[in-house]
């Protein structure tokens, strides 16, 4: 196996005993917060596999809630994340699931408030690295390591070309792209990881395309 950097081997600077169970969990929580875009009123978290067996002892519970509070992996406030969430009137519910998943370190997060809700599945793959594998029923592969755009759109011809033209206009290079849909001709999700942070003006230009329903950006 080839590693891109020393951090792939020893993991990132972090709070807690395990890069998979703490740093990875914190990153899953923080990506969920980024995708939701604001402080939630509630967070319902389901743990699977190894996460379900050890989440209290390994600090996975405080790590994932710390991420939902928008704390980075090295933020010392993570150890107090549960009490801080309570102070912010965020309802936290955690469940241990028996279902067998493809990866042992799997968590499902539902974040919501009176304006809406998102549901995602994330896995911690080691060394603090993660992958978001599902969002609101769509399959995806999102690492959270690069700036990204998640675009909900109508499954019609020209959708990819329209978005790509906007990115080219703003000189944004695409590093990875994937399109997921539930049914032909219905709602679809475009996931685009790019090489630089995306400004709001570009997001608004994509949102103005007739086939686009919603755009969410994740910056570094």
């Amino acid at each position: 196996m080839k590693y891109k950097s020393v951090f792939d081997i020893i993991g990132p600077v972090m709070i807690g005993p395990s890069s998979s169970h703490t740093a990875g969990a914190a990153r899953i929580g923080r990506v969920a917060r980024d995708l939701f875009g604001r402080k939630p009123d509630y967070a319902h978290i389901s743990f699977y596999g190894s996460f379900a067996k050890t989440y209290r002892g390994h600090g996975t519970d405080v790590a994932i809630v710390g991420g939902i509070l928008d704390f980075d992996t090295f933020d010392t406030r993570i150890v107090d994340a549960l009490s801080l969430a309570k102070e912010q009137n965020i309802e936290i519910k955690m469940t241990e699931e028996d279902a067998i998943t493809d990866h042992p370190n799997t968590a499902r997060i539902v974040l919501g408030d009176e304006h809406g809700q998102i549901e995602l599945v994330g896995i911690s793959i080691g060394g603090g690295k993660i992958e978001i594998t599902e969002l609101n029923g769509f399959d995806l592969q999102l690492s959270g390591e690069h700036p990204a755009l998640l675009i909900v759109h109508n499954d019609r011809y020209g959708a990819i070309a329209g978005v790509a033209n906007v990115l080219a206009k703003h000189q944004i290079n695409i590093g990875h792209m994937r399109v997921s849909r539930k049914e032909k001709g219905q709602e679809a999700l475009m996931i685009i990881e790019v090489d630089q942070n995306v400004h709001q003006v570009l997001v608004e230009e994509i949102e103005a395309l007739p086939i686009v329903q919603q755009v969410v950006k994740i910056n570094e």
Side-chain angles (χ1 to χ4, degrees):
M1 182 181 292
K2 293 183 178 179
Y3 296 97
K4 294 181 180 179
S5 75
V6 67
F7 295 105
D8 292 349
I9 303 171
I10 65 172
V13 176
M14 62 186 181
I15 304 297
S18 165
S19 60
S20 294
H21 286 224
T22 50
R27 285 181 169 167
I28 292 171
R30 199 173 191 197
V31 170
R33 171 65 178 262
D34 284 342
L35 292 174
F36 191 60
R38 57 192 181 274
K39 181 177 78 71
D41 287 343
Y42 58 86
H44 297 167
I45 305 161
S46 299
F47 293 113
Y48 299 83
S50 178
F51 269 1
K53 296 175 182 177
T54 63
Y55 72 92
R56 288 192 181 93
H58 283 193
T60 308
D61 50 354
V62 295
I64 205 164
V65 172
I68 292 169
L69 294 178
D70 205 23
F71 298 162
D72 209 334
T73 56
F74 53 79
D75 196 318
T76 56
R77 292 176 295 173
I78 281 179
V79 297
D80 298 314
L82 295 176
S83 59
L84 292 171
K86 187 175 182 179
E87 288 177 8
Q88 295 185 31
N89 295 317
I90 301 174
E91 174 203 327
I92 304 293
K93 179 181 178 182
M94 296 186 184
T95 307
E96 301 168 24
E97 301 288 351
D98 295 325
I100 298 174
T101 54
D102 292 335
H103 195 280
N105 299 330
T106 299
R108 181 181 299 273
I109 301 176
V110 177
L111 299 183
D113 60 16
E114 62 180 358
H115 302 294
Q117 175 179 288
I118 67 164
E119 180 175 355
L120 64 80
V121 175
I123 60 175
S124 178
I125 58 179
K129 293 182 177 296
I130 69 164
E131 188 173 288
I132 305 302
T133 60
E134 184 181 317
L135 176 64
N136 291 345
F138 288 105
D139 293 330
L140 69 156
Q141 292 176 314
L142 181 67
S143 69
E145 294 183 3
H146 309 286
L149 289 167
L150 282 78
I151 303 164
V152 180
H153 62 95
N154 299 324
D155 182 30
R156 293 176 51 194
Y157 65 87
I160 294 174
V163 172
N165 286 337
V166 174
L167 294 176
K169 173 185 172 183
H170 289 267
Q171 299 182 332
I172 301 294
N173 190 49
I174 297 173
H176 175 79
M177 182 176 187
R178 176 173 175 162
V179 178
S180 176
R181 65 183 182 184
K182 298 176 183 177
E183 292 184 30
K184 181 179 178 181
Q186 301 300 312
E187 194 176 66
L189 176 67
M190 199 181 306
I191 308 102
I192 306 175
E193 291 187 340
V194 296
D195 291 342
Q196 61 260 64
N197 285 336
V198 174
H199 296 296
Q200 187 60 31
V201 63
L202 183 148
V203 172
E204 292 172 358
E205 198 165 330
I206 294 176
E207 286 177 331
L209 296 173
I211 45 82
V212 170
Q213 299 177 21
Q214 183 182 7
V215 180
V216 176
K217 66 175 178 177
I218 299 176
N219 283 334
E220 289 181 318

